[in-house]
Amino acid sequence: MKILVVDDEEDVKSLFEQKFRKEIRSAQFEFSFAFSGEQALAFLAEHPSEVVMILSDINMPGMSGIELLKTIRKDFPAAPPQVMMITAYGDSNNHDQAMQLGADDFLTKPVNFVELKEKLLKSL
Amino acid sequence: MDYFLVSFFLIQYVRSSLQTATSLPEWDRKLLIGRYISIALLATYYITDSPDWYSWLWHIFMVVVLFILYTKEEFRSLKSVTQSVIPFVVVSILNDVVELAAPKFHDKYHDWLDIAVAFAFILCFVIWFYARKQQNILLKEREDRMREEAASKAQKESLEYLVTERTMELTAQKEQLQKTIDELKSTQNQLIQSEKMASLGELTAGIAHEIQNPLNFVNNFSEVSVELCQELEEEVDKTSISDDDKDYIKGIIADLSQNQQKITHHGKRADSIVKGMLQHSRTSSGEKEPVEINALADEYMRLAYHGLRAKDKEFNAALVTDFDPNIGKVLVMPQDLGRVFLNLFTNAFYAVAEKKRMLTEAGKLDDYRPEVKISTKMFAGKLYIRVTDNGTGMPDHVKAKIFQPFFTTKPTGQGTGLGLSMSYDIITNAHNGMLDVETVPGEKTEFKITIPIG
């Protein structure tokens, strides 16, 4: 399963790689990373219909997670990827907005990796 | 006879009109002598069988009396009266002179001369009467003037009284205005203070947000490192190095793992503080949610405690909890109730810290043990929460005002005076409950929250 993680913090990459070390080694998950909304769109354009799941932060400089979600739902209607938004603690505004724009699920920061792993395995 | 009447009344008139008995005692004596002389003269006149020459004694006496009255400064005011007597005396003397010098002429015009004397006699009484009337008018005028003066004096006094009264009123008004200005100033200061606090609250929320991201990384990486250590341990078992070396390596891995766990533990602590900050600054949703009351109270007790500890490292207090385990979840507004808890606990900790400080200053700390206690109880459809401290307590006049907005006993800059008034509002209006306080000055304070449930 190809998963695209979108976050402006570059350390997210090594964190995910370490957290999902076993799953990556056994080729259960394949992670790609984008550090901004723009990069994420570029990646999706290069690899059409490959990405099954997108994990995106909301608060990012430049294109926000909300705008990214909007664009994805508009530009990639065929084989739509699942989109999981990561909202900050207590940020109900963004939560409601993302919900309306068609996000599939939510995670609250700090990300509970046990919960995330379960969710990802379920959607396999 | 007529001479006697004139002299007698003249002397009497002088004495009464000038009040010589009191104002001129020496002259009074002399006048009395004059009166006795006139009486004596009258008496002698009748005793000596009224000889002709006798009238000359009267002439001399009258002239002397008139001379004295006319020339002496003391009788100046009576000049007109004195003058009125002169014609009578002159006419009488003339009459006698004519009788002596020209007896024939006198005999011939005897009647006319007597009439002249009689006229002069009547004239002098008429003038007296007139003068007396005049004097009465004058007296009356003087009395009127005196009365007017008294009246104007009374008016002046009443005016002065009015002025004093007005001055007092104005002074009182001025003082009141001054007081109002002072109150306004302190209100302004408090508003500035609360505005500062509000912006500080926003700043705190901002800072908390910013800290949360790096803190998440710390927690996540330390957690994942623990997992890596476990994996590493498993991998070591697979290698063919000697058991001694394996044990040594495993020992190092165990230490590393333990360190990572400590990092996670302290990171989580920081995380809960940041969460508390965010929760506190979040605006209330205004909706009731099922909330674990005991957990909420405990969380805010710790938050308040650590808040004070952060400012004052010396501070220490025993946190005593007495929770009713049967309460469970109750429908309340968690942010609002949390704010109430935070205020009550902050005040309780402040009170015990103050008491400790005062006792330390007085050198009587002895075995004072600061203690803040929270107890909860569910009973007959009502939730009872009590926050008790063994701190400074409050005198009655402070107790009466604590729920008023902007009332604070803390030094400027340390309290906005809004905490308890806000708490009161939250409990009574938003939760239909009651917020009461009981206190013993110098001993303890107990805040009692009662919220109806269901």
Side-chain angles (χ1 to χ4, degrees):
Chain A
M1 182 167 79
K2 232 179 182 172
I3 300 164
L4 175 64
V5 179
V6 189
D7 200 314
D8 58 318
E9 297 269 8
E10 304 206 359
D11 277 346
V12 164
K13 187 178 177 199
S14 57
L15 184 64
F16 269 76
E17 280 170 355
Q18 288 183 33
K19 279 279 181 188
F20 295 97
R21 173 184 294 271
K22 282 181 194 160
E23 289 78 5
I24 292 169
R25 221 197 292 172
S26 62
Q28 253 182 316
F29 299 149
E30 188 189 336
F31 282 101
S32 305
F33 297 90
F35 303 115
S36 72
E38 290 86 349
Q39 267 187 35
L41 287 178
F43 183 88
L44 287 175
E46 275 173 42
H47 309 85
S49 304
E50 275 180 31
V51 177
V52 179
M53 165 82 78
I54 295 172
L55 283 178
S56 175
D57 188 19
I58 287 183
N59 240 335
M60 288 185 293
M63 182 183 272
S64 77
I66 297 285
E67 284 169 60
L68 177 66
L69 174 64
K70 228 189 272 177
T71 320
I72 289 168
R73 288 287 176 252
K74 195 176 77 186
D75 293 353
F76 302 92
Q82 284 205 26
V83 179
M84 211 182 262
M85 301 305 286
I86 304 171
T87 59
Y89 177 83
D91 192 352
S92 54
N93 262 0
N94 275 334
H95 180 281
D96 296 349
Q97 213 178 342
M99 192 83 138
Q100 278 181 346
L101 288 170
D104 294 287
D105 208 343
F106 294 93
L107 290 173
T108 312
K109 277 184 179 181
V111 175
N112 184 338
F113 279 93
V114 180
E115 192 191 334
L116 175 61
K117 204 177 279 184
E118 276 172 15
K119 280 183 176 174
L120 289 179
L121 287 172
K122 218 187 272 173
S123 63
L124 258 180
Chain B
M1 184 62 199
D2 42 3
Y3 261 129
F4 169 73
L5 285 175
V6 170
S7 64
F8 187 84
F9 283 113
L10 180 65
I11 288 167
Q12 188 55 37
Y13 182 81
V14 169
R15 284 187 68 223
S16 69
S17 67
L18 287 182
Q19 295 289 325
T20 50
T22 50
S23 60
L24 299 163
E26 203 175 321
W27 279 108
D28 188 57
R29 219 167 48 239
K30 287 176 184 167
L31 287 166
L32 276 174
I33 292 166
R35 189 163 71 173
Y36 295 141
I37 291 171
S38 70
I39 293 168
L41 281 173
L42 181 70
T44 352
Y45 177 71
Y46 284 111
I47 290 162
T48 53
D49 209 11
S50 41
D52 281 350
W53 53 268
Y54 198 82
S55 60
W56 287 101
L57 283 178
W58 273 115
H59 291 325
I60 294 160
F61 172 67
M62 277 313 287
V63 168
V64 169
V65 168
L66 284 179
F67 183 77
I68 290 167
L69 291 181
Y70 205 76
T71 50
K72 291 293 170 190
E73 194 65 21
E74 290 87 340
F75 306 111
R76 222 171 134 185
S77 58
L78 300 168
K79 226 167 214 178
S80 61
V81 179
T82 321
Q83 276 168 350
S84 70
V85 184
I86 293 171
F88 168 69
V89 177
V90 169
V91 169
S92 301
I93 292 171
L94 267 178
N95 190 17
D96 285 355
V97 169
V98 168
E99 200 179 353
L100 268 182
K104 274 186 186 165
F105 180 81
H106 183 260
D107 283 346
K108 194 175 177 185
Y109 296 99
H110 168 76
D111 292 342
W112 292 103
L113 283 168
D114 276 356
I115 287 168
V117 171
F119 264 119
F121 178 73
I122 290 163
L123 186 73
C124 85
F125 276 97
V126 166
I127 289 174
W128 277 8
F129 179 74
Y130 184 73
R132 209 182 160 77
K133 207 173 158 192
Q134 208 69 337
Q135 205 169 15
N136 277 343
I137 292 169
L138 271 174
L139 210 71
K140 211 178 155 201
E141 267 177 17
R142 204 184 301 152
E143 268 173 15
D144 283 352
R145 213 178 304 132
M146 292 253 290
R147 214 175 300 131
E148 270 170 30
E149 263 173 28
S152 74
K153 202 177 161 192
Q155 205 174 11
K156 202 177 135 202
E157 269 172 11
S158 77
L159 273 175
E160 254 167 31
Y161 176 74
L162 265 179
V163 167
T164 326
E165 208 176 31
R166 288 283 148 78
T167 314
M168 269 163 69
E169 264 173 39
L170 282 173
T171 316
Q173 273 178 348
K174 192 197 139 234
E175 269 163 21
Q176 207 176 359
L177 281 174
Q178 190 62 47
K179 213 176 128 198
T180 316
I181 288 173
D182 290 347
E183 272 170 17
L184 276 174
K185 269 187 191 156
S186 77
T187 311
Q188 192 187 28
N189 283 341
Q190 276 158 346
L191 276 175
I192 291 169
Q193 195 59 36
S194 63
E195 193 54 42
K196 270 189 200 161
M197 288 302 290
S199 57
L200 193 67
E202 277 169 35
L203 197 66
T204 312
I207 291 168
H209 257 289
E210 290 306 311
I211 289 173
Q212 206 178 31
N213 275 334
L215 197 56
N216 287 344
F217 278 112
V218 169
N219 289 334
N220 285 324
F221 275 114
S222 61
E223 263 173 25
V224 84
S225 297
V226 174
E227 289 166 24
L228 288 179
C229 285
Q230 283 165 2
E231 269 185 57
L232 190 59
E233 213 178 317
E234 287 163 19
E235 293 304 316
V236 166
D237 279 335
K238 290 179 191 166
T239 58
S240 55
I241 47 176
S242 69
D243 280 357
D244 276 358
D245 286 348
K246 271 184 188 172
D247 285 346
Y248 183 65
I249 292 170
K250 278 184 182 173
I252 293 174
I253 291 172
D255 279 352
L256 266 178
S257 175
Q258 209 173 27
N259 290 353
Q260 297 301 339
Q261 274 165 4
K262 289 224 182 303
I263 292 173
T264 310
H265 171 73
H266 293 290
K268 286 268 161 70
R269 253 181 74 192
D271 190 58
S272 79
I273 293 168
V274 167
K275 263 189 193 156
M277 283 159 78
L278 281 173
Q279 205 164 40
H280 185 56
S281 62
R282 232 182 342 165
T283 50
S284 165
S285 58
E287 276 170 29
K288 288 186 180 174
E289 301 168 28
V291 174
E292 194 83 50
I293 294 294
N294 293 344
L296 189 76
D298 197 51
E299 186 190 334
Y300 276 97
M301 190 180 202
R302 270 158 230 293
L303 198 66
Y305 181 66
H306 291 297
L308 208 70
R309 275 287 294 244
K311 275 188 273 182
D312 179 9
K313 285 270 173 248
E314 298 283 290
F315 177 69
N316 207 334
L319 311 181
V320 181
T321 55
D322 174 16
F323 291 137
D324 181 351
N326 301 319
I327 293 177
K329 290 191 173 179
V330 174
L331 272 181
V332 291
M333 299 174 197
Q335 284 91 36
D336 291 349
L337 197 62
R339 213 168 278 186
V340 174
F341 281 138
L342 192 68
N343 284 324
L344 295 185
F345 286 128
T346 307
N347 287 342
F349 287 129
Y350 184 83
V352 293
E354 274 294 295
K355 185 167 174 183
K356 193 177 172 185
R357 190 182 62 77
M358 279 155 65
L359 287 173
T360 312
E361 271 175 20
K364 285 187 274 189
L365 193 56
D366 298 333
D367 53 357
Y368 176 62
R369 241 178 113 256
E371 184 184 288
V372 173
K373 185 179 171 189
I374 166 90
S375 69
T376 57
K377 194 92 197 148
M378 180 111 92
F379 178 71
K382 279 182 180 166
L383 174 65
Y384 298 91
I385 303 167
R386 293 184 177 201
V387 177
T388 318
D389 68 74
N390 61 351
T392 49
M394 290 175 283
D396 280 346
H397 70 274
V398 171
K399 186 188 159 194
K401 287 185 187 168
I402 52 167
F403 295 122
Q404 285 178 11
F406 298 120
F407 177 78
T408 180
T409 57
K410 292 177 187 170
T412 319
Q414 290 196 33
T416 59
L418 286 171
L420 281 178
S421 75
M422 211 160 72
S423 303
Y424 189 80
D425 192 55
I426 289 168
I427 297 298
T428 54
N429 292 333
H431 291 92
N432 293 321
M434 284 193 298
L435 179 58
D436 279 328
V437 63
E438 268 177 26
T439 178
V440 182
E443 293 278 325
K444 61 170 221 167
T445 302
E446 182 173 56
F447 279 93
K448 299 192 280 189
I449 301 172
T450 312
I451 298 174
I453 46 174

